[in-house]
Amino acid sequence: MSSIFEVGFKSPIPPELPDDSPVPGIPLSQSKGPLKLTPIVYGAAAFSNQYNTDDFMSTATPLRAVRLALRYGICAFDTSVYYGNSEIVLGNILKVLEPEFPRSSYQLMTKCGRYGLSDFDYSPDKIRQSVTRSLRRLQTDYLDTVYLHDVEFVCTLVMPTQSGNHVTALTSNAAHYGLALKDADTIRGEGDQKILDAIAELRKLQDEGLVKNIGITGYPLPTLLRLAILILHHPPYKPVDVILSYSHLTLQNSTFMDFAPHFTQRAQVKQLVAASPLSMGLLTRSPPSWHPAPLQLRTTVEEIQQHISDLPDLALGYSMRYAGPAHIDAPLVIGLSTTHEVHECVRVWREIQEIQGLEKRQSGEQFVMNKLHIVGLKDWSWSSGLRE
């Protein structure tokens, strides 16, 4: 890919516009957690064809959005080799912004192991090659966090059902999810061993100083928990540093709150991160055509929007509140494409801190959750499309 700055500019940094400056207000505080993350992490999946076009990424808009976010104090970025050219776009932007924001002023969090829709390779050699490639694409000599991406597609599958409400995995149904206490160190097949081998290679990269923190990501919460416990119970008996869960701290599905204490206590995970408060675009006016939610859930969301004028605002505020220190204290990864989206994101976060309009928000939230309860889709997880 050619540099994004080869199109549309006479110089790498375009002239500043009024929208490029932060609105005065409450500053984003740094987390007291081990990774020292701010409450909002910039979701750079927005710099991929999953959400935007190449033409969009050739404009000044992504640079302006990143710069504004940094000026607000959003100083961590989440990306992946799987997100097309995201690492390249982000790396080019941060390099250009280096005079204002040196490398030490932000954190880079990326992922390895998934390279296409059905292209997974967790072999140690490929993991090392992927990290080396990410370092080059992001134009840095170290990465703050590297995750194994979408572990449920590689590990041994231990789930009685792929879709539904999985909270019983924490209680009466634990054994069926591989979460019984006696199963803590049980390697259930070749897939589980691939996870352990990939983690071992990431630990080597960590020892070499190329990676500061390592973790795992995925969609099914019981699978993430089982693997985090498994990793803890195998040499060198160290927990993963960070777990990233997506679409499970939302108005539609908030079961991450049920699982959070199990991650921190049973698996001794140091840092939890929540992602996708709008559930990969489901809770927006125009969900992407590829969204995995079943038709009934998509239709119910459309019906809700006939009564809730700004569902994204409501959903974002809900996730921000429950991701905060009063609840699970997990920084929230939010996909941001434009300066308008950055401003709106910070505005909502500030409203939550100041408890502005909380009663109205809670009324709207309850309306949405009631509608989802009626059709049996509140706290319901769709299938990841795992192999049968």
Side-chain angles (χ1 to χ4, degrees):
M1 175 185 173
S2 59
S3 168
I4 60 168
F5 303 115
E6 291 181 7
V7 180
F9 303 118
K10 294 181 179 178
S11 62
I13 300 182
E16 295 219 11
L17 300 173
D19 212 31
D20 293 330
S21 298
V23 174
I26 303 173
L28 273 71
S29 56
Q30 190 179 63
S31 167
K32 295 179 181 178
L35 268 64
K36 305 299 182 186
L37 295 166
T38 46
I40 299 169
V41 175
Y42 195 114
F47 303 148
S48 74
N49 293 134
Q50 294 174 357
Y51 294 98
N52 284 300
T53 66
D54 286 338
D55 287 343
F56 167 84
M57 287 178 279
S58 295
T59 69
T61 303
L63 180 145
R64 294 177 58 225
V66 168
R67 181 176 58 190
L68 177 63
L70 285 165
R71 287 173 174 175
Y72 265 123
I74 299 172
C75 53
F77 298 88
D78 175 272
T79 183
S80 174
V81 64
Y82 173 57
Y83 302 155
N85 289 322
S86 171
E87 288 182 327
I88 296 173
V89 174
L90 180 61
N92 283 341
I93 289 172
L94 293 172
K95 191 65 177 177
V96 169
L97 295 178
E98 191 172 31
E100 184 176 356
F101 298 101
R103 176 65 180 89
S104 59
S105 65
Y106 56 82
Q107 294 191 41
L108 289 173
M109 312 174 80
T110 193
K111 309 175 188 77
C112 62
R114 184 172 194 176
Y115 307 100
L117 193 61
S118 57
D119 181 10
F120 293 84
D121 190 339
Y122 276 36
S123 64
D125 286 348
K126 185 65 174 181
I127 293 298
R128 181 169 288 270
Q129 291 171 16
S130 184
V131 170
T132 301
R133 181 189 187 204
S134 292
L135 288 165
R136 183 172 65 253
R137 285 156 61 107
L138 288 163
Q139 303 182 52
T140 181
D141 56 6
Y142 70 94
L143 297 165
D144 296 277
T145 297
V146 175
Y147 301 97
L148 294 182
H149 200 170
D150 288 344
V151 290
E152 69 266 29
F153 291 91
V154 176
C155 71
T156 306
L157 184 59
V158 186
M159 291 182 73
T161 177
Q162 294 184 26
S163 61
N165 186 328
H166 297 302
V167 170
T168 59
L170 301 174
T171 53
S172 59
N173 220 13
H176 294 93
Y177 287 89
L179 288 171
L181 294 177
K182 65 181 179 62
D183 293 327
D185 62 351
T186 302
I187 299 174
R188 293 179 174 265
E190 180 184 1
D192 284 2
Q193 189 60 55
K194 287 180 179 180
I195 300 292
L196 294 173
D197 292 345
I199 287 291
E201 189 63 27
L202 285 177
R203 292 202 193 282
K204 291 179 183 178
L205 291 161
Q206 197 174 26
D207 291 341
E208 294 165 23
L210 298 176
V211 176
K212 289 189 174 183
N213 301 285
I214 64 173
I216 59 177
T217 79
Y219 181 67
L221 287 169
T223 300
L224 284 175
L225 178 58
R226 183 180 73 83
L227 292 176
I229 293 170
L230 181 69
I231 292 165
L232 175 63
H233 285 82
H234 282 270
Y237 305 106
K238 292 172 59 177
V240 293
D241 299 302
V242 55
I243 291 281
L244 184 149
S245 165
Y246 68 93
S247 297
H248 280 111
L249 189 62
T250 74
L251 265 176
Q252 184 267 323
N253 190 329
S254 58
T255 51
F256 194 29
M257 287 190 281
D258 297 287
F259 280 81
H262 294 264
F263 281 118
T264 57
Q265 295 167 23
R266 287 189 64 187
Q268 298 179 31
V269 177
K270 300 175 185 176
Q271 178 75 64
L272 302 179
V273 177
S276 198
L278 302 183
S279 202
M280 298 191 296
L282 174 67
L283 303 178
T284 66
R285 297 175 187 85
S286 301
S289 59
W290 49 259
H291 201 285
L295 179 60
Q296 186 181 20
L297 179 53
R298 295 170 69 104
T299 301
T300 302
V301 171
E302 290 175 3
E303 292 172 356
I304 287 170
Q305 298 211 61
Q306 296 175 13
H307 302 274
I308 301 294
S309 60
D310 196 350
L311 182 59
D313 182 286
L314 188 71
L316 186 56
Y318 175 89
S319 296
M320 285 178 170
R321 192 162 77 252
Y322 285 100
H327 296 279
I328 65 172
D329 199 13
L332 193 61
V333 179
I334 303 172
L336 300 166
S337 296
T338 66
T339 53
H340 173 73
E341 291 178 0
V342 176
H343 284 301
E344 283 298 292
C345 180
V346 175
R347 177 190 62 77
V348 174
W349 182 82
R350 286 172 172 170
E351 283 186 8
I352 299 304
Q353 310 316 302
E354 296 173 344
I355 321 182
Q356 291 182 6
L358 182 58
E359 185 174 338
K360 182 178 179 181
R361 281 187 174 276
Q362 289 176 323
S363 175
E365 292 165 2
Q366 195 59 55
F367 174 86
V368 173
M369 291 187 285
N370 286 343
K371 287 288 188 182
L372 292 165
H373 271 299
I374 290 170
V375 294
L377 293 173
K378 177 69 178 76
D379 292 337
W380 190 93
S381 299
W382 50 78
S383 169
S384 290
L386 304 175
R387 54 278 175 227
E388 299 292 342

